[in-house]
Amino acid sequence: MRYVVAITGASGAVYGVRLLQELRGEKVLVMSEVAKSTIPAETEYSVSEVEAMADVVCEDSDMSAPIASGSYEYDAMFVAPCTESSLAKFACGIADTLVSRAFACALKEGRRIVLVPRETPKSAIMLENELKLARLGVVILDANPGFYSRPGTVGEVVDFVVGRCLMQVGQKQELFRQWG
Ligand SMILES: Cc1cc2nc3c(=O)[nH]c(=O)nc-3n(C[C@H](O)[C@H](O)[C@H](O)COP(=O)(O)O)c2cc1C
């Protein structure tokens, strides 16, 4: 399995980091410029340490990267965390960064796409953008943990969301105890 993992500049960089650590398969990573500042600000990792968790690293400005083409095959794209700014671009078809271009290609090729937005409260514009994408088959998986697994640490709260991401691509997850 091959996955594209995009990390954008929302709070919750740790979601992208944990996803890279837990996702099995080949991982192509792209980080937005703001993500490169939230990662060291919010996590114990440097940007280069996060890059080392991926098999291929692309720059957000590199429009000649493989994932900028619809002919590049992979199984699913994750954007975790996903800013409402990037999500707005996705909803409008704007493709002026590698993250947004990769999304546009994934959408037109009918690939599985999982977005992990992190914003609260949400404006009607944000909700409309999310609804538009959901109607196109994009999975909107909010960074919004359940508590039935009784998380006791921040890490366990994060892992609930990451476990739900893994389930979206059929990967058996043991990051949290599923209901029942
Ligand atoms: C420390 C920090 C935290 C941010 N948190 C969020 C957030 O949780 N959600 C969001 O949608 N935008 C957030 N932003 C704003 C985005 O980073 C900003 O809209 C940026 O233009 C998004 O660009 P990108 O999508 O290419 O990363 C945050 C910015 C900073 C500097």
Side-chain angles (χ1 to χ4, degrees):
M1 305 292 269
R2 180 192 276 163
Y3 300 107
V4 171
V5 176
I7 302 178
T8 61
S11 188
V14 66
Y15 292 114
V17 173
R18 287 291 293 134
L19 185 62
L20 282 170
Q21 290 173 329
E22 293 296 327
L23 196 58
R24 285 195 298 270
E26 187 182 341
K27 285 156 277 192
V28 181
L29 171 66
V30 54
M31 289 175 280
S32 75
E33 283 311 308
V34 184
K36 289 181 180 177
S37 61
T38 54
I39 287 168
E42 293 189 346
T43 77
E44 60 192 284
Y45 300 101
S46 66
V47 168
S48 55
E49 286 171 327
V50 173
E51 287 176 342
M53 297 172 192
D55 299 280
V56 178
V57 179
C58 306
E59 290 302 320
D60 200 23
S61 57
D62 182 8
M63 287 299 176
S64 61
I67 59 174
S69 169
S71 66
Y72 185 75
E73 292 185 301
Y74 56 90
D75 298 281
M77 176 177 185
F78 294 90
V79 186
C82 183
T83 65
E84 290 296 341
S85 172
S86 278
L87 196 146
K89 288 185 184 180
F90 302 162
C92 294
I94 296 171
D96 64 347
T97 59
L98 185 58
V99 173
S100 53
R101 171 62 186 165
F103 175 93
C105 289
L107 187 69
K108 77 186 177 73
E109 301 297 331
R111 301 196 197 287
R112 187 147 191 79
I113 307 173
V114 180
L115 306 183
V116 183
R118 213 273 4 136
E119 188 55 276
T120 194
K122 294 186 188 184
S123 69
I125 291 173
M126 294 167 179
L127 293 167
E128 283 182 356
N129 287 336
E130 293 183 7
L131 177 60
K132 186 174 176 183
L133 293 175
R135 285 186 168 141
L136 293 169
V138 175
V139 175
I140 306 295
L141 197 158
D142 273 314
N144 188 350
F147 288 87
Y148 51 81
S149 57
R150 298 284 193 101
T153 65
V154 173
E156 288 172 6
V157 169
V158 170
D159 278 0
F160 181 95
V161 173
V162 175
R164 297 296 276 129
C165 287
L166 300 179
M167 290 171 69
Q168 287 297 321
V169 290
Q171 182 176 320
K172 184 170 164 46
Q173 70 81 28
E174 293 177 338
L175 296 180
F176 73 95
R177 194 162 44 83
Q178 291 171 222
W179 185 254

